[in-house]
Amino acid sequence: MNDRTIIDAEPVQRRADDSLKTWGWVSYILHLIVAVAAVVPGAQVSVALLIIALVMDIVKKDDAAGTWQESHFKWRISTVLWAGVLYVVTFPLFLLLYLPGAIAWAVISIWFLYRIVKGMVRMNAGRPVDA
């Protein structure tokens, strides 16, 4: 090796962290699109975006194990699962009385949006999400 040899000095771990962060941002953006659309009346987007983001998070979650980003993957997965359960549980309200169902779904949607924004702010700061 001579003095002019270029060596890639960027640590492998940093590249892995950057890759996970990119995956995380893509997932958060997909979640954000769905969350904003859920809050804005008449702006519903396909649930397919949410499913794509959820599958991405499930697939990449193990890669984030032991890093500060692990909490973000768990945060997004649990947010989607809890929101789904809450939507299903409150759906009968629409069948019985529309207004209570609409109010319940609005509250769930605002909660969902809050969790996604909170996660994005923490990720932007390079910090894990506190449960």
Side-chain angles (χ1 to χ4, degrees):
M1 206 158 76
N2 62 32
D3 293 332
R4 293 184 170 200
T5 303
I6 297 175
I7 299 173
D8 185 6
E10 185 177 6
V12 173
Q13 184 59 41
R14 181 167 180 220
R15 279 188 243 145
D17 285 348
D18 288 347
S19 173
L20 286 172
K21 199 169 185 179
T22 300
W23 279 100
W25 278 116
V26 169
S27 179
Y28 270 128
I29 296 297
L30 292 174
H31 281 88
L32 185 64
I33 291 168
V34 173
V36 169
V39 174
V40 176
Q44 295 297 323
V45 296
S46 175
V47 73
L49 292 178
L50 196 59
I51 293 170
I52 290 167
L54 180 62
V55 169
M56 284 172 45
D57 287 335
I58 291 170
V59 167
K60 296 303 273 182
K61 180 181 71 154
D62 290 340
D63 294 347
T67 70
W68 65 271
Q69 295 179 51
E70 179 179 18
S71 67
H72 287 277
F73 284 88
K74 289 180 179 179
W75 180 260
R76 289 187 302 265
I77 292 168
S78 68
T79 299
V80 170
L81 295 179
W82 274 110
V85 166
L86 292 171
Y87 282 128
V88 168
V89 167
T90 58
F91 180 71
L93 289 174
F94 280 112
L95 299 177
L96 300 173
L97 301 166
Y98 175 77
L99 188 59
I103 291 170
W105 279 32
V107 169
I108 296 165
S109 297
I110 291 168
W111 171 82
F112 184 77
L113 178 61
Y114 163 77
R115 290 201 29 123
I116 296 307
V117 171
K118 179 180 179 179
M120 291 177 85
V121 168
R122 295 288 172 92
M123 186 155 182
N124 191 49
R127 296 175 36 209
V129 181
D130 303 312

